[in-house]
């Protein structure tokens, strides 16, 4: 079943809505490197306007809700260097401003589309990671930040899961509470190979993979 009829490439990514009735397409506009988010209704094939009303925008899908037809998207039409965060209703196409952003380069967002962590890249390449209330959560040198990947948040135990090598030669799976005193625990790691992939079940990490030779 054909949904879109674009005459120019290129579709970068596609996403399903929680009810599987909407498909969102992140598309390069005429080879400019600027991305817009298009929506399509699977049954009616209606083309929904998500971000096409903005010119010169590079849209990002930050997180899709697993339970509602909503997404948190980033748009840099106001400031080309930073993305403001908007709540997008995938049914109506309505956008609601969540965070006007002139500081942060990355975010970690919960399944409820709540901003959990905000990452600021400093002039020396180091990172300062803030909680939603602007409290400092973690400080990383440029070398540490290069290897650090924030991958998930669990609302039931108020913990963030990420990969980092601050205390080892390879990336380890680390859990850190967002509640003071921010208890941190290394959950796993395999020397001499990085933890590369983590499988989560109901918000908790249940398995991870390390590749010693070649990833296939």
């Amino acid at each position: 079943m054909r949904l879109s009829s674009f005459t120019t490439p290129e579709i970068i990514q596609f996403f399903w809505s929680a009810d599987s009735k909407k498909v969102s397409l992140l598309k390069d506009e005429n080879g400019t490197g600027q991305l817009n988010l298009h929506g399509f209704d699977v049954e009616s094939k209606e083309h929904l306007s998500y971000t096409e009303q903005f010119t010169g925008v590079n849209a990002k899908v930050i997180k899709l809700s697993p339970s509602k037809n909503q997404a948190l998207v980033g748009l840099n039409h106001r400031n080309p260097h930073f993305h403001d965060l908007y709540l997008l209703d995938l049914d109506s196409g309505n956008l609601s401003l969540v965070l006007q952003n002139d500081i942060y380069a990355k975010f970690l967002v919960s399944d409820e589309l709540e901003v959990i962590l905000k990452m600021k890249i400093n002039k020396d390449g180091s990172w300062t990671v803030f909680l939603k209330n602007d409290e400092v959560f973690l400080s990383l040198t440029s070398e540490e930040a290069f290897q650090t990947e924030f991958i998930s948040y669990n609302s039931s135990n108020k913990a963030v899961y990420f990969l980092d090598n601050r205390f080892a030669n390879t990336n380890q799976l680390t859990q850190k509470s967002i509640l003071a005193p921010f208890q941190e625990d290394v959950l796993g790691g395999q020397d001499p190979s990085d933890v590369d992939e983590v499988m989560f079940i109901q918000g908790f990490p249940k398995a991870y993979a390390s590749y010693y030779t070649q990833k296939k």
Side-chain angles (χ1 to χ4, degrees):
M1 179 180 63
R2 182 171 180 171
L3 285 178
S4 66
S5 300
F6 297 120
T7 58
T8 59
E10 160 181 13
I11 295 173
I12 307 299
Q13 286 179 290
F14 69 92
F15 312 89
W16 285 94
S17 63
D19 65 0
S20 300
K21 294 182 180 180
K22 301 289 189 302
V23 175
S24 304
L25 304 177
L26 197 60
K27 183 183 179 299
D28 187 324
E29 298 301 328
N30 301 314
T32 61
Q34 296 172 341
L35 307 180
N36 263 316
L37 188 65
H38 301 257
F40 289 90
D41 186 287
V42 173
E43 296 178 353
S44 68
K45 301 184 179 62
E46 177 189 4
H47 183 186
L48 303 166
S49 178
Y50 286 164
T51 68
E52 299 97 303
Q53 65 268 38
F54 301 106
T55 57
V57 72
N58 191 0
K60 288 184 178 180
V61 176
I62 308 296
K63 183 86 172 182
L64 276 86
S65 169
S67 59
K68 300 179 181 179
N69 278 10
Q70 295 179 333
L72 195 68
V73 300
L75 301 176
N76 66 338
H77 62 292
R78 185 185 60 83
N79 183 340
H81 303 293
F82 297 96
H83 285 74
D84 296 334
L85 300 188
Y86 287 82
L87 181 65
L88 169 64
D89 186 309
L90 297 173
D91 293 323
S92 67
N94 288 339
L95 287 163
S96 303
L97 181 65
V98 173
L99 175 67
Q100 183 171 302
N101 171 41
D102 293 294
I103 299 176
Y104 305 108
K106 294 184 178 182
F107 302 90
L108 182 69
V109 175
S110 71
D111 284 346
E112 294 73 34
L113 304 186
E114 178 186 4
V115 175
I116 304 300
L117 298 181
K118 305 177 289 188
M119 296 81 163
K120 178 185 177 183
I121 302 177
N122 304 308
K123 290 182 179 180
D124 61 358
S126 64
W127 285 17
T128 305
V129 184
F130 297 88
L131 295 171
K132 183 179 180 179
N133 63 1
D134 296 330
E135 185 176 3
V136 174
F137 177 71
L138 192 63
S139 295
L140 301 167
T141 67
S142 57
E143 292 82 6
E144 292 168 343
F146 182 76
Q147 297 292 336
T148 300
E149 180 185 0
F150 293 92
I151 53 178
S152 186
Y153 169 73
N154 189 319
S155 59
S156 63
N157 67 354
K158 307 297 183 185
V160 168
Y161 299 96
F162 59 100
L163 304 179
D164 80 310
N165 64 357
R166 288 169 297 153
F167 310 115
N169 293 323
T170 57
N171 263 6
Q172 299 176 304
L173 174 60
T174 304
Q175 171 185 298
K176 186 179 178 73
S177 172
I178 66 167
L179 303 177
F182 308 127
Q183 180 176 335
E184 186 173 313
D185 299 288
V186 175
L187 302 183
Q190 295 291 329
D191 199 20
S193 179
D194 292 329
V195 174
D196 189 76
E197 297 178 27
V198 182
M199 181 177 70
F200 289 87
I201 298 177
Q202 295 181 341
F204 292 93
K206 297 298 183 180
Y208 65 83
S210 294
Y211 299 89
Y212 295 95
T213 54
Q214 183 177 359
K215 183 177 180 179
K216 296 181 180 181

